[in-house]
Structures are given as structure tokens and as C-alpha cells.
Amino acid sequence: MTRIALIHALSHSVAPINAAFERDWPEAVRMNLLDDSLSADLARSGRGLDAAMHARFQQLAQYAVDTGAEGILFTCSAFGPCIEAVARRHAGMPVLKPNEAMVVEAAQGQGRLGLIATFAATLVSMPPEFPAGTALEPVLAEGALDALNAGDTQRHDALIAAQAVALRERGCTRIALAQFSMARARAACEEASGLPILTTVDSAVRALRLRTNQAAR
């Protein structure tokens, strides 16, 4: 059985990705590594993705490799360059950023894409990952992450859905939810906006399964 390491910077990302694996790739053996200080330290330091943050990601990845992981999926989208550095170091195995599979799918679509995040740093790191020329409208759902942290999932989903409606009114024809922790708001966004909603969770599992199988051949 294939062993997959899931490395999380937010506790809210754990349940959505594990649910997707249970549904779409149940035979994979999952290990979950959570360092919920990563996002807090990034937001607090003001130094961005510095050498110390890169070193932390390398250490987390090496721990996963040492336990026998055959693939690594990072589930927080604010750390793209750190994850890319891990992928270069472990070039012989699949190492995925949480959003890269969704970015590929989104780039194949038509019309202006609304990108909603609840963590401000995500809107700095993620837009450059889209192909040049992608019509992108990024927006922060302010207060949604605080609501989720407080256990108010209804307010979390409603704040994200309100941004989906606003993006539709600004001409977007589809919406992407930038973070794994936001996957739970998909239905609310669809109902409120009437637009197609892309999430990172399902596409990430599909891509990781495909790449892991290819690497095993």
C-alpha cells in the first residue's frame, strides 16, 4: 500500500483532505503532520518566507521521508516557494503544493476566475502560480478564518459565499476556493452565486494518486 504524508499548517485542513482520501483513494496509507505554528509565525514575523521558514519545511519533509512516505502533499497554500524547494530536494518522489492541481484545472477553463482566500498570505503566494494571462480576481474573505477558529462554521461559510456573490457581480464566471480549510464552503458558494466552484481538495488527491502511480512504474 502507498504511504502518503499530509503536512498541515492549519488544523482545519486535516478533515477535508482526509475525507477526500477516504472517498477517492481509501487504500492509501495516510500520515498527518500538523504544525499549526507555521501560519501564525508567518503572519506575525513580517519576514515572509525566509530561510528559517524554508528550513522548517525541509525538516518536516525529511521526517515524512524517513517514515517511509512515497508522496507528500502540503495542505496550506501560503508556502509555495518552501514547498517547491522541498520538491527539488526530493525530486524522485511526488511532492505537491495543495493548489497546483486545481490551478491546472482552472487554467483550462474559460472566463474570469475569482480566487477567494481566508488567509491573507495566500493571496500573495498563490496568484503567481497561475499561467500568465489568466484573468484572475483575488479577494480575501475577511473574518472567515477567525470565525472558523472560533467554531462558527456557519459564519465562515457565509462570509466566503458573500465574496463569491461579489465576484460574480464583478464579472467572474467561476470561483476557486484557495485553501483546503475552505472546502466545506463549496455548497454555500454554489447556492449563493450559481457559479461553478473549484476546490483544491479533490483535484489534489487525484493528481497525487496519478503521480505516485507513475513514479512506482
Side-chain angles (χ1 to χ4, degrees), residues 12 146-154:
H12 304 302
D146 289 337
L148 189 61
N149 288 334
D152 191 345
T153 55
Q154 185 174 0

Side-chain angles (χ1 to χ4, degrees), residues 2-114:
T2 304
R3 185 179 179 89
I4 300 296
L6 306 173
I7 301 181
H8 314 281
L10 291 172
S11 60
H12 304 302
S13 301
V14 178
I17 188 57
N18 278 275
F21 266 92
E22 194 64 34
R23 182 177 61 250
D24 297 330
W25 194 9
E27 62 272 26
V29 176
R30 286 162 272 144
M31 62 173 297
N32 289 273
L33 300 178
L34 169 64
D35 181 351
D36 60 4
S37 70
L38 288 168
S39 294
D41 290 346
L42 177 62
R44 185 166 45 235
S45 72
R47 297 192 301 270
L49 301 175
D50 58 9
M53 187 63 73
H54 274 268
R56 291 171 68 177
F57 271 75
Q58 294 292 345
Q59 290 163 0
L60 287 166
Q62 189 60 54
Y63 177 81
V65 171
D66 290 344
T67 66
E70 299 167 68
I72 300 174
L73 174 62
F74 290 88
T75 68
C76 187
S77 53
F79 300 92
C82 294
I83 301 168
E84 291 165 3
V86 169
R88 289 192 295 271
R89 182 173 180 180
H90 299 280
M93 67 185 298
V95 176
L96 270 69
K97 293 182 289 188
N99 44 340
E100 63 181 273
M102 187 193 73
V103 166
V104 171
E105 293 178 3
Q108 295 169 349
Q110 301 295 319
R112 191 164 188 80
L113 176 68

Side-chain angles (χ1 to χ4, degrees), residues 100-172:
E100 63 181 273
M102 187 193 73
V103 166
V104 171
E105 293 178 3
Q108 295 169 349
Q110 301 295 319
R112 191 164 188 80
L113 176 68
L115 178 67
I116 308 175
T118 62
F119 184 54
T122 298
L123 295 179
V124 176
S125 65
M126 190 171 176
E129 297 175 18
F130 286 85
T134 301
L136 196 64
E137 187 80 27
V139 67
L140 179 67
E142 293 189 33
L145 186 56
D146 289 337
L148 189 61
N149 288 334
D152 191 345
T153 55
Q154 185 174 0
R155 176 169 170 77
H156 168 266
D157 296 357
L159 288 170
I160 296 170
Q163 291 300 329
V165 172
L167 287 167
R168 181 196 64 197
E169 293 173 352
R170 284 151 61 180
C172 292

